Amino acid sequence: MEKKNILKQFQVEGDIASIEPYGSGHINHTYLAQMADDKKYILQGINTTIFKDTDQLMENILNVTSYLREEIVRTGGDPARETLTVVMTNDGKSYYTDEEGNKWRVYDFIEGAQTFDAVESKEDFYQSAVAFGNFQAKLANFPADTLHETIPNFHNTAKRYRDLEKAIEEDVKGRVAEVGPEIAFVRERSKELSELHDMLAKGDLPLRVTHNDTKLNNIMIDSDTHKAICVIDLDTVMPGLSAHDFGDAIRFGANTAAEDEPDVSKVSLSLELFEIYVKGFLEGCGGRLTPNEVKVLPMGAKMMTIECGMRFLADYLEGDVYFKISREKHNLERCRTQFALVADMEKKWQQMCELCQ
Ligand code: ADP
Ligand code: GN1
Ligand code: MG
């Protein structure tokens, strides 16, 4: 169905001037809708292969954003810019199903702010850390039992390892022969992968409401003030570990190379950016983290990086069915940068732990 006709199913104001692909997310199909009077909307095709239950997905987003909206109003903020606003369909639903069965949603476009695919300024990275920490703090009293698990076992790293072993065994695309060193890298570390979940099971770490996808391009930075104003991409807000939110942001933002840099010699962990993020995140969490949670922050960074590498590798072996790719071997290159970053973290482990103390 034509995008314009899809957008017309929603309660949008004005005539549509154009609708163009937008952003660099790996999961949903995002478009910027420009209206004739300068107003803009984000139109998103929801990835229903990944998010299988759209009702539950959108219920989570409506619940979380309305909770955040109240918190923002209570503390004197601007809810139109500081949280996502879901635009309803003409018949009052949170998403629209087109004739082909594709599911669509619309958000108000957040004006005067931008997302970054790489850290351009240390201050912006610091602000993003404060905002992600603060996101968790704001949701500290959110009723976690009302949240649906949109992707079960999303950050269960040991389960991600088992999924990878299954993909290796099935080798549907005949690609296993090409990735021997990567498989060996993971297998050498397979024993460590359940450490954080084991601590959770023993009660040594608390379960919190977390974002679970804290990469830099999931936060909007105000173009004038450079404050991180709005956490976006709320599809995976679920009960989780604070170390995972911290760690995923480090994985993406404190890498000296891009997530898909083909030349792995450019990959390393910037200890300077790591330190900046620790400070910002702890400040944003407002003293809520327990001593154990602070202690495992480096482990969160390592686990999110190896887990993401395993997911890219499994997707490469399965024929690139999960993450959007724009070139052949894109997922393999992404996997290699993640493992190179893990190896560098291992070299810098002592310093990472000291910086968290
Ligand atoms: P994905 O799940 O595919 O990563 P996102 O929800 O993160 O999709 O959206 C992709 C990109 O679109 C974001 O990185 C951001 O640049 C842009 N974007 C998403 N929502 C908004 C919004 N409400 N206002 C402005 N830009 C947005
Ligand atoms: C995906 O949706 P996006 O592009 O912000 C993925 C994350 C990965 C990330 C790797 C729902 O994030 O888990 O860490 O790609 N999101 C989902 O860049 O799988
Ligand atoms: Mg995103």
Side-chain angles (χ1 to χ4, degrees), residues 25-26 213 215 217-218 232-233:
H26 295 340
D213 190 0
K215 66 181 184 183
N217 62 20
N218 286 331
I232 61 168
D233 202 345

XYZ file of all heavy atoms in Angstrom, residues 25-26 213 215 217-218 232-233, ligand 3:
64
model
N 18.388 2.699 11.900
C 18.050 1.545 12.747
C 18.177 0.249 11.951
O 18.019 0.241 10.737
N 18.458 -0.849 12.675
C 18.637 -2.140 11.998
C 17.357 -2.978 11.956
O 17.367 -4.088 11.438
C 19.673 -2.990 12.759
C 21.056 -2.427 12.755
N 21.490 -1.509 11.843
C 22.122 -2.699 13.549
C 22.758 -1.217 12.096
N 23.161 -1.918 13.125
N 18.324 -1.487 24.722
C 18.876 -1.215 23.374
C 19.436 0.208 23.389
O 18.944 1.099 22.702
C 17.749 -1.374 22.340
C 18.265 -1.358 20.908
O 19.487 -1.216 20.700
O 17.425 -1.483 19.996
N 21.931 1.948 22.388
C 22.970 2.520 21.520
C 22.684 3.991 21.252
O 21.546 4.452 21.384
C 23.192 1.688 20.270
C 22.084 1.619 19.285
C 22.538 0.710 18.129
C 21.505 0.669 17.045
N 21.864 -0.243 15.967
N 22.295 5.921 18.815
C 21.261 6.458 17.920
C 19.839 6.159 18.405
O 18.881 6.360 17.675
C 21.497 6.060 16.457
C 21.457 4.576 16.224
O 20.907 3.826 17.033
N 22.035 4.127 15.125
N 19.724 5.706 19.659
C 18.392 5.578 20.263
C 18.155 6.667 21.301
O 17.331 6.522 22.210
C 18.211 4.182 20.866
C 18.014 3.138 19.776
O 17.490 3.451 18.712
N 18.441 1.915 20.028
N 14.488 7.102 22.789
C 13.531 6.565 21.807
C 13.733 5.053 21.635
O 14.479 4.441 22.391
C 13.636 7.310 20.451
C 15.029 7.141 19.842
C 13.300 8.769 20.627
C 15.129 7.599 18.397
N 13.104 4.476 20.641
C 13.201 3.035 20.335
C 12.861 2.197 21.574
O 13.706 1.492 22.130
C 14.610 2.703 19.806
C 14.606 1.404 18.993
O 13.612 0.655 19.099
O 15.584 1.141 18.283
Mg 16.967 2.217 16.999
